[in-house]
Amino acid sequence: MSTTTAVVRKNTYFDSVSLMSVSTKANALDGVEQAFTAMGTEMNKGVLDNLGLLTEELRAAESGDLMVVLVAEDGADTDALLAEIEGLLTRKAPASADGGQVTYRTVTSAAEGVPGANLAVIAVNGAYAAREARKALESGLHVMMFSDNVAVEDEIALKQLAHEKGLFMMGPDCGTAIVNNVALCFGNKVRPGTIGIVAASGTGSQEVSVRVHALGGGVSQLIGTGGRDLSEQVGGIMMVDGIRALAADPATDVIVLVSKPPAPSVEKKVLAEVAAAGKPVVVWFIDGSEEAVTAAGGHFAAGSLQAAQQAVELAGVAPAPTEDLDAAAAADAVVARLADGQKYVRGLFCGGTLCDETMYAVRDAGLDVFSNIQKNADFRLPAGSASRGHTFLDFGDDDFTNGRPHPMIDPALRIERIVEEAKDPEVAALVMDFVLGFGSHEDPVGTTLPAIEEGQRIAREAGRHLEVVAYVLGTDLDTPSVAAQTAALRAAGVTVTLSSTETGQFAREIAKKAQA
Amino acid sequence: MSTENTEPTPAAALFGSDLSVVNVGLAMFDEDIKAQHAQVTTLDWTPPGGGNPDAARALNALEASPELTARIDAANAEAVERIMSARPMLVGFGRALDVVPGMTPTTILHSGPPITWDRMNGPMKGAVTGALVFEGLAKDLDEAAEVAASGQITFRPCHEANAVGSMAGVTSASMYVHIVRNETHGNTAYTNLSEQMAKILRMGANDLSVVDRLIWMRDVFGPMLKEAVEFTGPIDLRLLLSQAIHMGDECHNRNGAGTLLLFQALAPGMLRSSFTTEQKKEVFDFVASSDYFSGPTWMAVAKAALDAADGVENSTVVTTMARNGVEFGIRVAGLPGQWFTGPAQKVVGPMFAGYKPEDSGLDIGDSAITETYGFGGFAMSAAPAIVALVGGTVAEAMGYTRDMGEITTAQNPNVTIPALDFQGLPTGIDVRKVLDTGILPIINTAIAHKDAGIGMIGAGITHPPAEAFTKAATALADAFGGSSS
């Protein structure tokens, strides 16, 4: 049997909306069959009468009296429930948690409402990204567009609009920028300095920035362009504007350009800007040629490390001493431990440019390399297919990321692949990268080590030595630091290389010697 | 290359100032940027049209060229100018049969978009049958249901008769209605009288007490109001609305101040009317029995103003939001006479004791005309006393008005909100902005029991279905450019 309790608090006023709200909450309390808080008006007493709850005491209540009626479930503690309802009546709303901060719903309103807003980071689904970017540009904001899967026509229109307005349109598919010493999306904590970078490649520019830092230099700005900027269609609009902005920036002394080789017409346009910059410009076009760069008065870099070294030197910084690996000697030591039939290097990368640099180093030794990002169709491996020969996979490429987070955030696919490759008796070495910094996984080495150890165990049990080579892209200022991640790898018997360039050299030597 | 005294380029301005990021899409970047001590504003972002590809397509078509955008913007500016400059005056009261255009003895007006008897929900059927008994067209509710189904009754939306009706909106020939004339543009709007209590026809109740009250309203209350305005002369309702909002009403769910103001304006006229003192006391008691007395009046104000914008060519401004308990319909200035509908939504909010959310009928009534004008839910920030409806904090109430600013065209300088530094009501809902921002209009409203015969059981907030706006945008795109598909 349920029990009904009625309380009349004389001369106690609450407004009807608050009381309805309290009633609704009271009805949700455990043990309450029905609860009713209302002023003693004729209308409310009529409702109670209809429900058969109007006691004599309630009938005597006046419109200035508060009525609390509780129908409690059998066995419920009536006094405790009444106290809870009392608590609901006296509850003070907590002070607004956000201190009255405004939540904006659109780029346009935020641009209008936030004084000093100057850049929009756009990371929405590609289907919506162009529209958001246009609104940002129309509101006078620079744009960094992390989103990919944006039509090239949209990219061109956005970059033209930005150019007309003198704004940056970094991206689409721009993963890295450092603006006023703030790293955006994927970026590392590096020392402020006088070296400005304009890059069409995310991890390529991250690598240059961390090498500059390791050599004692610092970065003024790192402007991303998106990977398609230097294509024939887009025509390098953002790279040209980026060069001009850094040329005009009094805080920048040296400019570094990072890109895959541009379309020929675009290369010409970019190199004309190099010639006109009025500042030293280091050009690292991955797999690019020296002649044109030198002719334009630029400083040619064959690799990421060289690009950083030249930039630091040109900036007048005495390069900090760094360790070097004797790649040939180290490779001899590795090859000595290999069993018969262990011939191939398998590269499993998160960073596209890091994959490129190592892959090209192996290819330049005259070896065949297969990859999901090979330009030559004869050597291209689609994402789902098994490795063959020397294989280099970029897990950050679209065919792997389709519908998944980037492997720098979630390396699950690569982790599976490590174990798979370890089972292959033809594999001599696994080469991989770990990218630290803002945006990346909080402990990429820690989450991958179990798979590395399992791979080593599988090889060992089959009587093979599996060489695991890893490069950690990061600085001593990153969290976790490059030192901590390196130590964890070394403890597991992994050979840690100290730059992307060195990773390529070591992989090349192993590949050459193992296949010989 | 650069000379003295020139503005810095945008790039130089960026390099030379503190970075302040507007972050769209990925919350993880918010923390990273904050950790580097830079300013970041992360949007509460939703895809346009809630991610509906039809909505995105229509929106793109509506933004196909700067010329089209300029044309629509100009039309919308004209539409809101008409809404804001409308001056609705209470010029009288009269029997619907005598004053509402197209009314016949067998016409029943109802709320929302068009609907047939068989599709009406519980409260609307309850109201229709009650009205038929009241009109003497049926001897009891059972017979009334037969009459309603017989085809002898003409059902029409209030909105198509220059009228609005709260909740079921059921208005029959002998009921007295407000006559509100827009002095600026010359059009007139009509709406029923408040029945005050919870157990009332418009909420679906229909027993003898309800019908008896309707008879008294027809014979005493309505005629006394009619005579009163003949003595007082026209009453400037926009002025009263503006005062009421300054006094803490949002004039949809809270009407305490507005009712006092309206009664104050009418009382001298009522005293001079030809009725007995006893009857006058009955009327005064009736007005005092519920703050809702002026609720319908503000609906007619909004209707008179919004009808002035109907037919402004190329305009994407919403002129009607109305629900019949089954469907939610909107109409747009640039496409006069067309309804765009989606399913009526649930209303979420506090309920009278003894009722549970599952007892609720779906959203119903023409009262969303108040939000279409810019008060009601749009003016929550003016009525902190009823923030319990929207979750409980005054900050939330302020946020609602600010959000509505994102989907509207202008701020109405004639009706302002003190707590927002006298910002005008957010006015002129733009179909494009609703889809673009993903923000749906907020509507304050009452909750009727889902079954006929019971009445009001709570109050709360609701939203239109996004679908109605997608359909409207698609039709607009077809009409303007023909390139939406």
Side-chain angles (χ1 to χ4, degrees):
Chain A
M1 243 335 261
S2 54
T3 53
T4 302
T5 317
V7 178
V8 173
R9 280 170 55 180
K10 297 296 283 181
N11 198 22
T12 302
Y13 176 76
F14 286 88
D15 69 89
S16 61
V17 177
S18 296
L19 288 172
M20 280 163 64
S21 172
V22 167
S23 288
T24 303
K25 286 175 190 151
N27 274 294
L29 295 174
D30 275 348
V32 170
E33 198 161 286
Q34 206 170 97
F36 188 95
T37 58
M39 300 306 294
T41 61
E42 290 308 314
M43 176 178 153
N44 288 333
K45 288 194 278 187
V47 172
L48 286 175
D49 205 4
N50 286 341
L51 294 169
L53 295 172
L54 193 67
T55 62
E56 277 316 301
E57 189 190 7
L58 293 169
R59 199 180 293 279
E62 293 176 26
S63 58
D65 302 337
L66 175 68
M67 307 186 292
V68 179
V69 182
L70 168 67
V71 183
E73 284 167 5
D74 195 21
D77 183 342
T78 309
D79 289 343
L81 285 174
L82 279 173
E84 278 195 71
I85 295 170
E86 196 78 12
L88 292 172
L89 284 164
T90 53
R91 179 190 70 97
K92 286 278 177 285
S96 180
D98 57 7
Q101 205 186 331
V102 180
T103 302
Y104 292 98
R105 307 280 294 259
T106 63
V107 175
T108 310
S109 60
E112 280 169 13
V114 181
N118 46 21
L119 184 145
V121 171
I122 293 171
V124 301
N125 180 301
Y128 308 114
R131 173 183 187 78
E132 298 300 322
R134 178 158 53 80
K135 300 211 172 260
L137 292 170
E138 283 169 353
S139 301
L141 301 181
H142 298 274
V143 171
M144 172 174 185
M145 190 192 276
F146 182 76
S147 312
D148 56 6
N149 294 315
V150 173
V152 71
E153 294 76 20
D154 287 332
E155 176 172 353
I156 293 166
L158 290 168
K159 284 185 167 165
Q160 283 170 347
L161 176 63
H163 176 78
E164 282 162 26
K165 291 176 170 287
L167 295 165
F168 292 148
M169 177 65 220
M170 300 188 272
D173 202 11
C174 176
T176 301
I178 300 176
V179 177
N180 301 349
N181 309 124
V182 177
L184 298 171
C185 302
F186 293 108
N188 302 86
K189 216 167 175 180
V190 298
R191 192 178 300 108
T194 59
I195 297 169
I197 303 168
V198 190
S201 144
T203 47
S205 64
Q206 280 186 273
E207 171 66 1
V208 171
S209 73
V210 304
R211 285 302 110 225
V212 163
H213 176 89
L215 291 164
V219 173
S220 59
Q221 309 285 348
L222 192 171
I223 298 164
T225 67
R228 260 189 330 220
D229 190 66
L230 299 170
S231 66
E232 191 80 48
Q233 281 167 290
V234 183
I237 301 173
M238 184 62 234
M239 182 159 279
V240 168
D241 283 352
I243 295 169
R244 288 179 185 172
L246 292 179
D249 175 28
T252 298
D253 293 338
V254 179
I255 300 171
V256 182
L257 307 184
V258 179
S259 174
K260 293 181 183 174
S265 66
V266 182
E267 182 174 33
K268 218 168 143 192
K269 210 191 292 182
V270 171
L271 291 177
E273 295 297 325
V274 168
K279 292 179 183 179
V281 181
V282 177
V283 180
W284 174 41
F285 288 159
I286 300 146
D287 202 26
S289 71
E290 186 165 0
E291 230 169 292
V293 173
T294 313
H299 300 259
F300 173 79
S304 52
L305 182 60
Q306 206 187 3
Q309 283 166 337
Q310 292 197 61
V312 169
E313 207 169 301
L314 288 163
V317 177
T322 51
E323 294 176 56
D324 275 326
L325 182 80
D326 181 345
D332 284 337
V334 169
V335 171
R337 301 174 68 186
L338 296 177
D340 278 353
Q342 281 188 279
K343 295 184 286 191
Y344 296 126
V345 172
R346 300 278 156 85
L348 308 175
F349 286 87
C350 298
T353 304
L354 306 179
C355 184
D356 268 341
E357 194 169 19
T358 295
M359 175 169 77
Y360 289 139
V362 174
R363 187 205 59 188
D364 289 347
L367 302 170
D368 287 344
V369 293
F370 296 86
S371 173
N372 62 321
I373 55 171
Q374 253 282 16
K375 272 178 285 186
N376 185 339
D378 295 341
F379 297 97
R380 197 176 302 137
L381 281 183
S385 45
S387 301
R388 51 188 286 217
H390 304 294
T391 290
F392 293 85
L393 297 176
D394 171 14
F395 284 86
D397 194 54
D398 287 348
D399 47 357
F400 280 109
T401 56
N402 198 5
R404 294 172 157 271
H406 194 280
M408 277 154 62
I409 302 172
D410 174 12
L413 270 188
R414 183 173 76 167
I415 286 170
E416 286 171 28
R417 191 75 176 225
I418 289 170
V419 176
E420 204 181 307
E421 297 292 344
K423 292 176 182 163
D424 184 344
E426 291 192 324
V427 171
L430 297 182
V431 181
M432 62 192 77
D433 59 349
F434 293 93
V435 181
L436 309 181
F438 296 107
S440 289
H441 190 281
E442 61 195 7
D443 181 13
V445 167
T447 194
T448 309
L449 268 180
I452 292 175
E453 283 161 352
E454 191 186 342
Q456 289 167 327
R457 183 184 56 77
I458 289 166
R460 194 166 54 241
E461 285 172 3
R464 303 192 297 269
H465 165 70
L466 177 66
E467 177 69 9
V468 180
V469 181
Y471 170 55
V472 183
L473 189 163
T475 72
D476 53 335
L477 304 176
D478 281 326
T479 311
S481 73
V482 68
Q485 297 274 291
T486 298
L489 287 165
R490 284 187 173 144
V494 174
T495 305
V496 178
T497 49
L498 298 175
S499 69
S500 172
T501 300
E502 187 181 272
T503 311
Q505 289 163 353
F506 189 36
R508 180 183 60 207
E509 293 305 314
I510 295 174
K512 258 167 45 184
K513 292 175 194 230
Q515 206 183 339
Chain B
M1 45 191 268
S2 66
T3 55
E4 297 293 322
N5 300 326
T6 52
E7 283 272 303
T9 63
L14 176 66
F15 295 162
S17 56
D18 290 333
L19 183 67
S20 174
V21 175
V22 176
N23 181 34
V24 192
L26 276 186
M28 63 182 259
F29 296 149
D30 183 89
E31 291 169 31
D32 287 345
I33 295 167
K34 276 195 188 121
Q36 299 174 82
H37 311 293
Q39 204 193 334
V40 55
T41 307
T42 293
L43 299 189
D44 180 6
W45 186 84
T46 44
N52 178 335
D54 290 342
R57 210 162 25 239
L59 204 46
N60 283 335
L62 290 175
E63 295 174 350
S65 69
E67 293 74 24
L68 180 58
T69 297
R71 185 146 52 100
I72 295 172
D73 287 349
N76 288 353
E78 189 197 332
V80 291
E81 176 53 31
R82 293 177 76 88
I83 295 165
M84 297 188 303
S85 66
R87 192 154 163 255
M89 306 288 286
L90 180 60
V91 295
F93 289 87
R95 282 198 319 159
L97 185 64
D98 301 333
V99 298
V100 175
M103 202 72 194
T104 72
T106 53
T107 298
I108 298 270
L109 302 182
H110 61 78
S111 57
I115 189 167
T116 51
W117 162 258
D118 53 304
R119 293 183 62 233
M120 289 177 187
N121 73 355
M124 189 175 278
K125 280 190 168 164
V128 167
T129 50
L132 292 174
V133 172
F134 160 69
E135 292 290 349
L137 295 169
K139 67 177 189 305
D140 57 28
L141 295 172
D142 290 340
E143 192 182 289
E146 288 167 27
V147 172
S150 70
Q152 297 160 37
I153 302 299
T154 307
F155 292 106
R156 283 178 76 196
C158 292
H159 265 292
E160 296 186 359
N162 298 349
V164 277
S166 90
M167 300 307 287
V170 164
T171 305
S172 60
S174 328
M175 292 180 183
Y176 269 72
V177 295
H178 298 63
I179 306 168
V180 175
R181 190 179 142 79
N182 170 3
E183 290 296 337
T184 312
H185 306 100
N187 61 299
T188 305
Y190 308 90
T191 196
N192 218 317
L193 305 180
S194 167
E195 298 166 77
Q196 302 291 69
M197 317 291 276
K199 192 175 169 189
I200 51 180
L201 190 81
R202 71 197 51 195
M203 296 280 180
N206 52 17
D207 68 10
L208 204 56
S209 72
V210 172
V211 174
D212 283 348
R213 188 185 307 114
L214 291 174
I215 291 169
W216 174 81
M217 288 169 71
R218 178 194 67 198
D219 295 344
V220 178
F221 188 43
M224 191 188 296
L225 290 168
K226 178 177 189 293
E227 284 187 31
V229 179
E230 286 163 5
F231 285 112
T232 64
I235 296 169
D236 186 339
L237 290 176
R238 192 182 67 185
L239 191 64
L240 298 191
L241 173 76
S242 170
Q243 288 174 339
I245 283 175
H246 279 193
M247 292 164 72
D249 283 356
E250 43 69 91
C251 294
H252 186 168
N253 277 25
R254 179 178 170 88
N255 291 289
T259 288
L260 289 175
L261 291 167
L262 182 63
F263 180 69
Q264 182 175 275
L266 288 167
M270 290 198 267
L271 285 175
R272 292 170 71 188
S273 69
S274 61
F275 292 83
T276 65
T277 301
E278 187 52 39
Q279 286 170 319
K280 289 171 188 166
K281 184 184 177 299
E282 277 171 21
V283 165
F284 283 22
D285 283 342
F286 186 64
V287 171
S289 71
S290 163
D291 287 345
Y292 192 66
F293 169 63
S294 65
T297 316
W298 314 126
M299 288 171 57
V301 169
K303 173 68 174 166
L306 287 156
D307 272 359
D310 192 36
V312 171
E313 212 179 327
N314 296 324
S315 171
T316 58
V317 164
V318 175
T319 54
T320 302
M321 295 195 290
R323 317 82 100 193
N324 59 29
V326 178
E327 284 179 317
F328 193 119
I330 67 169
R331 299 193 299 179
V332 179
L335 298 171
Q338 297 185 44
W339 290 93
F340 305 100
T341 61
Q345 306 289 299
K346 288 200 170 98
V347 183
V348 179
M351 310 191 72
F352 294 158
Y355 295 107
K356 299 209 157 28
E358 52 268 32
D359 298 327
S360 305
L362 296 178
D363 186 23
I364 187 169
D366 290 337
S367 60
I369 196 72
T370 60
E371 280 83 11
T372 318
Y373 181 91
F375 52 98
F378 282 41
M380 271 310 292
S381 50
I386 57 165
V387 295
L389 290 182
V390 297
T393 71
V394 173
E396 283 169 315
M398 299 294 161
Y400 277 113
T401 298
R402 209 155 26 222
D403 279 354
M404 295 306 103
E406 297 222 13
I407 57 171
T408 46
T409 308
Q411 295 181 356
N412 187 338
N414 303 312
V415 191
T416 59
I417 300 172
L420 293 179
D421 288 331
F422 296 90
Q423 172 195 308
L425 296 182
T427 300
I429 301 165
D430 185 340
V431 169
R432 296 175 303 172
K433 291 185 178 180
V434 170
L435 294 183
D436 183 17
T437 61
I439 300 173
L440 290 167
I442 177 182
I443 295 166
N444 287 357
T445 196
I447 305 172
H449 197 285
K450 65 178 188 238
D451 297 329
I454 297 172
M456 178 172 170
I457 59 171
I461 61 166
T462 188
H463 299 280
E467 185 183 337
F469 290 89
T470 299
K471 285 180 182 169
T474 304
L476 286 161
D478 288 344
F480 294 165
S483 55
S484 72
S485 50

